[in-house]
Amino acid sequence: MSEDDLAEKLYQQLKGKRFVIVLDDVWDIDGWNLLKHSLPDDCNGSRVLLTSRIQNLSLQIKPNSKPHHLRSLTNKESLELLQKKLFAKEDCPPALSEVVQCIARYCKGLPLAVVLVAGILATTQQDCWEEVTRRLSSTIFVDNKHCMETLEHSYNYLPDYLKPCLLYLGAFQEDRDILVPKLLWLWISEGFVQKTEGKSLEDVADKYLMDLIGRSLVMPTQRRSLGGIKICQIHDLVHEFCVVKAKEENFLQILNVDDLHTFNGPCNPHRLSIYPSTSEGPIKSRLFFPNLRSLLFFNCDYRQQLDGSSLKFLLSKLLRVLDLGETVCPYFPREVLFLVHLRYLRIKGNFGEIPSAIANLSRLETLAVGGFLGRNFLLPNAIWNIKTLKHLVVFPDYGSSGFKFPMDNLEGSPDLEHLETLSLVIDPSSQSQSLQKILSKLPIIRRLTCVNGNRNWNSKYHASAGNHDGILVLDYLSRLESLKMGRFSGYEFEFPFNLRKLTLLQNRQPWSKISAIGKLPNLEVLKLCPVSFVGEKWEMQEGEFQNLRYLKLFGLDISWWTASCDNFCCLEKLVLENCFSLEEVPSCLGETLTLDMITVKWCHESAVNCVKQIQQEQMDMGNKDLKIVIEQEN
C-alpha cells in the first residue's frame, strides 16, 4: 500500500471522531508533513500533542503556537521520583533517607538522571548505597547504554557546524559557569563559526548557542538585562558525553596539572584542556605537542605560576588559541610572542606593560589580560599594527581597570578597523583630548568601557556637581551599542543616538543633566551606579526614556523621584538597590502593563511598601504576572 493510500485510510478512520494523538520525541518536521494531511479538522476538540527536545520545532508546525517548556524537577520532586523508582509504594527506610536525599540532589532536576541512578541502586545492595554516593559522579553513567544512546541520538541530529561547538564545552570543568562572551570568542577563534551575509560572526555564534539551548543541550543560568544569555552551563551527563566523544574523535584531550609530569600517552592532540590540581607553586612540564592548535587552562589556582620553561614545551607554533586561565605569569612570557598563528590570547599577570613584540601576532583577534584591582596595562605603539584585533578587554571587569593607549604619533598610526570591544583607561591629565583622539581611531567600536585613570578621584567627592571641565563628544561613534563611563567628574556627555545600553558610575553629574540621556531614541538599558548623579531630586521630563526596558538605580542618594506614565511606556524591569534615602517610587508604575519584574534590595521600607502597592494596582488591571523580589537586611 502506498503512502497516499495509507494517508487516505487513516483520514477515513478518524473522520467524524474525536481523537488525541501523541507524537513523542520528534526530531524534525518531515514526519509531521507526512501525517498532517491524514488528520481531519472537524472542529470537535481533537488534539495532537507533540514532544521534542528542539524548542522551535513547534513554531515550524504552528507559527503562532506557544510551546510548553518543561522545567527541571525541584529537589523535592527529584526525591519523590527516586523513591518511587526504588521503593514503589513503600516508604524509604529511615536508615537510607539521608543517602537517597543526597543522590536526588546530585541529579540536579534531570528526570533522566534520576531514572538512571535508580537503575544503578536497584541492582546494588542497600548497605553499599553510601559507598555509591561517595563515588557518584557522571562517570557512573558512561556505561549506561540508555543514557549514552539518548545523548548520541541528540548529537547525531545536530547540524555539522554545531557538533564541534557542543564538543568544545567538554573542555570546561564540570559544574562551572561558562561566560558566554568568552565562549563565543573562542568558537570564532577556533574557526567553528561560519560567515553569514549581513551578520557579524559574533551574532552567528550567539545563534549557535541559542540553537544548542533550544535543543536542551546547554542550560542558561544567568540572563542579561534584556534576556540574552550571560552565563551558561551543561549538565554533568552532557559534559561527560562531550568528554568521551571528543576523546573518541581526537577532538580534545583533558589533563590535570599533575598529569603534566607523568603523561605518557600519544602527544598528537589538536586541543588540550588542563584542569587544576591541589598543589601550589610553578606549573612545570616537559611535554611537547607538535600538532596542538588550542591550549586551555581552566580555573587553575591563582597561586600557581607558569614559568617560561614550561610554556616553551607546551606551546606549539601552530597554536590558534591560548588561554592561561587564572595562573599568574610574573612577566609577559616571551615564548608567546612567537605564536604567529594566535587568534585568541588570555593571560593574567603582574606585568604592567604589553611588549612591543605583540605586533608579531598579526592574526590576533582577542587579547584578554587580567590583573588585580586597579591594574592597568600600557599598550605599545605597535598595537596599531595588529589590524585583526576585535576585542581588547581586561578581566575581571572591576570598572577601574583597562588598557592605556600610547599617545605619541597617534595621528600617523593606522586605525583599528575591526575593534569591537575595548576596556579603556584615559590619562587624567588630558581626559577629553585623549579620549577623542583614541576613539577616532576605532570606527566600528560596539562595546566600550572607559574610566578615568586618576586614582585620587575620590578627593573631589564633595566638589560641586556644577563645575564642568568640558564636554566628552561621543556622538560620532555610529556603531556604539554598549557604553560604561566612570570617574569623569565635572564632564558632560554627548552620546550617540544608536546607544542601546548605558552604565554610569562616579561621574557626579547633577540630575538636571540626565535629560540628555532621556532623549536617546534607542536606549533600552540604563544602569546608574554610585555617585553617577548627585542630588536628592530626579524629576523625569515628559517624552524621556520612551524605549527604556531596563532601569537600575544602585547606591544613589536620591530622595525624591517623580515621573509620568509616558516615561515608562516600555519598561519591563526595575531594580532598586542600596537606595536608602529613596522613600517613594513613582506611582505611575502601577499603570505600566509592560512591567514583568521589580527588584528591591536594601532600600527604605517606604519604597518597599510603594512597590507592593504597585503590584496590587497591576493585579487590579489584569497584570498578574508581575514578579516582585524584595531583599532587606536582617
Side-chain angles (χ1 to χ4, degrees), residues 315-317 319 322 335-342 360-361:
L315 301 183
S316 159
K317 290 184 178 180
L319 272 182
L322 177 59
E335 293 76 10
V336 171
L337 301 173
F338 295 97
L339 305 176
V340 296
H341 295 283
L342 209 60
N360 293 340
L361 310 182

Side-chain angles (χ1 to χ4, degrees), residues 340-372:
V340 296
H341 295 283
L342 209 60
R343 286 163 170 75
Y344 179 101
L345 174 60
R346 187 180 188 272
I347 184 170
K348 185 173 185 178
N350 293 322
F351 49 86
E353 294 187 18
I354 308 299
S356 297
I358 193 77
N360 293 340
L361 310 182
S362 59
R363 295 176 175 85
L364 193 64
E365 296 174 357
T366 299
L367 175 60
V369 181
F372 301 96

